[in-house]
Amino acid sequence: MKQLFIAILCCLFAGQVNAQLQPQTLPSAVFYKKDGKAFSTAQIPTTKKAFIMFFDATCDHCQQVATQLSKQSGKLANANIYLVSMDEFRSIDYFMTNFGKPLLAMKNVTLLQDKHQAFIPTFKPDKYPSMYLYGTNKRLLKFSSNDKEVPKFLELMK
């Protein structure tokens, strides 16, 4: 019984440590736009907050987040939105067309492909979707991989 209790405590502690792994300042990474041009996180302007969502095109929760963001697209004007995926652009395009179509017309939304799998070791997401909101000082304001927290992100983007 004592060993079981210790094992449970270790698991809880490990979960707490994992929750704190996300970088507190915007990390340096390079992704790619659809035209093949490199896009570095250093290019993210400091004039607006930056919302970054790491997604998989086949993930139901990612699809739900994209749908929620699309329905609330009017509330996204005060932030730059970066949607990052390791998927090929044909899958990203399908995802956006079916779940994020209103976002495609927005100038502050950038679709990025993680060709070299840089996101996971750099940003340390714990699952799909992983959402990050950085302030104009490039410091992390909020991280979550819970699709139910989209309203909290929208509130912070005001």
Side-chain angles (χ1 to χ4, degrees):
M1 184 70 171
K2 184 176 180 180
Q3 289 176 334
L4 177 63
F5 180 72
I6 290 172
I8 291 171
L9 281 179
C10 287
C11 288
L12 290 173
F13 178 72
Q16 290 293 331
V17 170
N18 186 38
Q20 298 171 359
L21 287 178
Q22 283 70 39
Q24 296 302 299
T25 56
L26 183 64
S28 179
V30 176
F31 307 114
Y32 295 86
K33 293 183 176 184
K34 189 173 184 175
D35 63 8
K37 291 182 182 177
F39 180 88
S40 169
T41 54
Q43 293 174 262
I44 294 176
T46 56
T47 54
K48 292 182 176 182
K49 294 175 183 173
F51 175 79
I52 300 171
M53 180 176 123
F54 184 56
F55 72 96
D56 181 280
T58 62
C59 165
D60 291 339
H61 294 281
C62 300
Q63 295 167 359
Q64 290 171 15
V65 170
T67 300
Q68 288 179 60
L69 292 174
S70 293
K71 288 178 181 176
Q72 300 291 325
S73 59
K75 295 182 179 180
L76 302 176
N78 294 327
N80 289 310
I81 313 300
Y82 302 92
L83 304 175
V84 183
S85 178
M86 292 191 296
D87 293 318
E88 296 293 325
F89 261 104
R90 68 178 180 270
S91 296
I92 295 170
D93 291 341
Y94 177 85
F95 174 87
M96 292 304 295
T97 300
N98 287 283
F99 305 103
K101 195 166 189 170
L103 303 175
L104 291 172
M106 297 177 68
K107 293 183 189 260
N108 63 325
V109 175
T110 304
L111 299 178
L112 298 168
Q113 182 187 30
D114 183 15
K115 284 185 189 179
H116 303 297
Q117 293 80 41
F119 198 96
I120 292 172
T122 307
F123 282 82
K124 302 184 182 341
D126 53 9
K127 62 182 178 177
Y128 290 115
S130 284
M131 300 172 286
Y132 304 77
L133 182 63
Y134 290 93
T136 55
N137 60 358
K138 295 196 176 188
R139 300 227 12 106
L140 185 65
L141 297 174
K142 181 162 183 60
F143 164 80
S144 180
S145 50
N146 181 345
D147 59 326
K148 305 285 187 243
E149 293 209 12
V150 170
K152 291 179 185 177
F153 280 96
L154 293 171
E155 186 64 31
L156 290 170
M157 283 188 231
K158 286 184 180 178

